[in-house]
Amino acid sequence: MTSKQTLLDREMFTQALRHMGEDDLLYLNRMVVERLNLLAQAKSTVALAQFAEGDRVQFTANDGSVKRGVVLRLNKKTASVRTDEGQNWKVSPGLLSKAVTRQV
C-alpha cells in the first residue's frame, strides 16, 4: 500500500467517523481497544521470547537502582525475577536486559 493510498484511506475513515452515531462510536472504540491489547500482547510475547528461565538479567527499579538477578519464570506478561539481594520482582520484558557477565 502506498503512502498516498494510506492517506486517502485515512481521510475516508475520518469522514465516516464524523457521521457515526454514539452506538457506532462505542462499538468502534471497543474494537480499537481490543486491537491495541492484542498488539501489546504480541509485542510482550516477542520480548519475553528473548529470555529463558535461569537467564541472568538486569533492570532499573523505580528508584533508579539497577537490579540484577535470575529469571525464575516467564509469565504471560512479565518475567518473575529473583534479585541477587533475594527479592522477587515481576518485571515487564521491555524493562529487562541480559546481564553483562564480567570476565576475570
Side-chain angles (χ1 to χ4, degrees):
M1 183 179 286
T2 66
S3 61
K4 185 176 182 179
Q5 182 65 41
T6 301
L7 184 60
L8 289 174
D9 288 346
R10 287 182 179 176
E11 288 177 12
M12 288 174 48
F13 180 76
T14 301
Q15 289 299 321
L17 205 72
R18 288 186 178 131
H19 297 328
M20 288 184 181
E22 183 177 0
D23 288 341
D24 291 333
L25 289 170
L26 288 171
Y27 174 77
L28 183 60
N29 179 62
R30 282 192 300 276
M31 297 296 293
V32 168
V33 169
E34 285 177 19
R35 178 70 178 145
L36 288 171
N37 287 338
L38 182 66
L39 292 172
Q41 185 176 8
K43 186 187 287 186
S44 178
T45 300
V46 167
L48 274 173
Q50 298 177 43
F51 303 100
E53 291 179 11
D55 281 352
R56 293 274 309 152
V57 294
Q58 64 186 35
F59 62 96
T60 303
N62 290 339
D63 65 2
S65 63
V66 176
K67 304 286 185 180
R68 289 177 180 78
V70 176
V71 174
L72 298 177
R73 181 170 185 250
L74 297 174
N75 308 306
K76 187 173 180 180
K77 295 181 181 180
T78 62
S80 294
V81 176
R82 173 160 296 137
T83 65
D84 295 342
E85 295 83 26
Q87 299 172 319
N88 290 327
W89 290 72
K90 287 187 179 177
V91 184
S92 171
L95 302 176
L96 286 176
S97 61
K98 301 265 182 159
V100 179
T101 56
R102 294 178 221 172
Q103 300 287 330
V104 179

